[in-house]
Amino acid sequence: MRSKNTSFDIAYRAGVSQSTVSRALRNSPLVNEETRRRVQEIAKELNYKVDKNASSLRTQQSGTIALLLFEDPTNDDSLINPFFLSMLGSITRASAKKGYDLLVSFQQMSNDWHADFEDTRKADGIILLGYGDYTDYEEKLVQLIKQETHFVRWGADVKGLSVVSVGCDNFHGGYQVTEHVIKKNRKNFAFVGGVSSGSPEFLDRYKGHCQALEDNNLSADSELQIDAISTNDSGYQAAQQLIATGIKFDAICAASDLIAIGAMRAIQDAGYNVPDDIAVVGFDDIATASSTFPALTTAKQDTVLAGELLVDKLLQLVSGEAAQTQLMPTTLVVRKSCGDSKN
């Protein structure tokens, strides 16, 4: 009875070493594309399947990436920000393309999510994904660094720590959406979203918003800035607070789409019209942004590219290579919530 084909059989047919076969089947960037494709085609012809248990013993790696997802606390723990659901999908696909399984773990900020995923060989590295108070987890990032854990995170660049991050250019995105609304002849702007150092992404969006106002001879009114976490309910309550101030405003720039959607509902419930009375813009371009009434103008973050970058950079670290923080550009998506005729 003929034994199963092995990676040595593939190596013989391909004219390469067995270690090159192993790397090619893991889609390692250390193997050029032509060789990788030839090895994978031969493996398919031979009906070869990687023995993950044996591979793990040889390499002392699990073939698994851990994704730790954490968010601001909400009343309903079953709700997940749709933006992060999109990110989860893109990270899952990117991991599969590289031959890795994905272990997803939902965390609270108070939990010890910085613990021993890698040390116990549950995972070769960690992706940190979510919004939350940065001051709550800065200390845990320091601990991860001390443990020499391989990890990357989604979010703003971390100053003063050797942390690899992937995020978007939040400052430019905030500038972009605000400038668009200014061109619609709006003069009195409100901003909804947390602007403390604990929310660096929202803070950068606010800074971009303020810069766009300044560049167009307008000014930000501190009384029209209301903190909110990224939920519909928080956006709704913040918009109610804005209306209750009695201060005139004709535009709201929200730090996320969920906040913007909640704000639009509060505006309409108060008897005002969006966009005739008050224009509203968001940030993220979640799936529901195109189906709100009116459809929401927003700054789009490319979640497909984000997932690929997070996985690529983590695997670079796992392989002992250097990786750099990278910010992606945002794209303005114009719809009707600012009075535009299209979409």
Side-chain angles (χ1 to χ4, degrees):
M1 184 174 178
R2 192 184 187 284
S3 61
K4 291 194 301 182
N5 290 306
T6 69
S7 58
F8 290 98
D9 297 315
I10 300 171
Y12 177 78
R13 295 255 315 248
V16 299
S17 67
Q18 189 271 339
S19 60
T20 297
V21 170
S22 296
R23 292 191 185 99
L25 295 178
R26 297 199 309 270
N27 287 308
S28 168
L30 299 177
V31 181
N32 68 60
E33 185 177 351
E34 181 182 349
T35 301
R36 191 162 62 239
R37 184 168 58 248
R38 184 168 75 253
V39 167
Q40 291 176 354
E41 287 173 353
I42 293 170
K44 187 174 182 180
E45 289 173 14
L46 297 179
N47 197 30
Y48 175 78
K49 302 295 183 185
V50 176
D51 185 337
K52 289 194 173 183
N53 290 329
S55 177
S56 296
L57 287 172
R58 286 194 302 271
T59 64
Q60 295 298 299
Q61 292 183 353
S62 66
T64 299
I65 292 171
L67 172 62
L68 306 190
L69 177 63
F70 50 90
E71 289 196 86
D72 288 307
T74 62
N75 293 331
D76 186 349
D77 288 339
S78 68
L79 297 178
I80 301 173
N81 187 329
F83 174 73
F84 292 123
L85 286 178
S86 179
M87 287 280 284
L88 173 59
S90 66
I91 292 169
T92 302
R93 287 187 290 272
S95 299
K97 286 180 183 178
K98 297 296 185 181
Y100 276 76
D101 294 326
L102 189 68
L103 171 65
V104 181
S105 179
F106 295 89
Q107 302 290 328
Q108 296 294 326
M109 278 298 177
S110 58
N111 289 351
D112 291 331
W113 50 262
H114 62 306
D116 58 350
F117 273 86
E118 188 173 345
D119 291 343
T120 59
R121 307 208 183 282
K122 293 177 184 175
D124 300 327
I126 301 172
I127 295 174
L128 305 176
L129 181 64
Y131 286 139
D133 190 332
Y134 172 69
T135 57
D136 285 347
Y137 67 86
E138 181 179 15
E139 183 179 336
K140 295 178 181 180
L141 295 183
V142 172
Q143 184 61 35
L144 288 176
I145 295 169
K146 287 181 179 178
Q147 293 171 188
E148 298 184 346
T149 300
H150 300 119
F151 74 98
V152 297
R153 61 182 289 277
W154 167 259
D157 189 15
V158 176
K159 305 297 184 184
L161 291 178
S162 56
V163 174
V164 177
S165 300
V166 174
C168 83
D169 189 340
N170 291 290
F171 180 91
H172 178 257
Y175 190 104
Q176 199 175 30
V177 291
T178 303
E179 183 179 52
H180 176 75
V181 183
I182 292 170
K183 290 178 179 177
K184 295 298 173 182
N185 296 317
R186 305 303 168 115
K187 305 293 184 185
N188 303 298
F189 281 73
F191 185 92
V192 180
V195 299
S196 72
S197 59
S199 304
E201 292 171 291
F202 285 7
L203 178 58
D204 282 348
R205 294 169 194 180
Y206 180 64
K207 288 178 178 177
H209 164 77
C210 292
Q211 188 63 55
L213 293 177
E214 183 180 332
D215 289 350
N216 287 273
N217 299 314
L218 299 173
S219 59
D221 185 341
S222 60
E223 293 189 71
L224 291 178
Q225 185 277 308
I226 305 293
D227 287 346
I229 62 173
S230 194
T231 66
N232 282 341
D233 286 346
S234 190
Y236 186 93
Q237 293 164 11
Q240 285 184 318
Q241 285 182 251
L242 285 171
I243 294 167
T245 65
I247 302 172
K248 179 184 177 183
F249 62 95
D250 56 11
I252 291 180
C253 291
S256 77
D257 287 349
L258 287 179
I259 292 173
I261 291 168
M264 285 201 296
R265 184 162 54 89
I267 290 166
Q268 292 160 344
D269 284 353
Y272 297 101
N273 180 272
V274 177
D276 293 345
D277 299 317
I278 302 171
V280 178
V281 290
F283 206 108
D284 288 337
D285 195 32
I286 61 176
T288 52
S290 61
S291 57
T292 58
F293 185 79
L296 182 64
T297 292
T298 186
K300 178 182 178 66
Q301 302 192 78
D302 188 339
T303 56
V304 173
L305 176 60
E308 292 172 351
L309 289 174
L310 284 165
V311 171
D312 285 348
K313 290 180 184 295
L314 179 59
L315 295 184
Q316 285 176 352
L317 296 177
V318 170
S319 299
E321 303 171 39
Q324 303 296 324
T325 288
Q326 184 169 339
L327 294 183
M328 308 180 303
T330 56
T331 303
L332 179 67
V333 179
V334 177
R335 299 192 179 101
K336 290 184 177 180
S337 66
C338 296
D340 300 279
S341 60
K342 54 185 176 180
N343 292 329

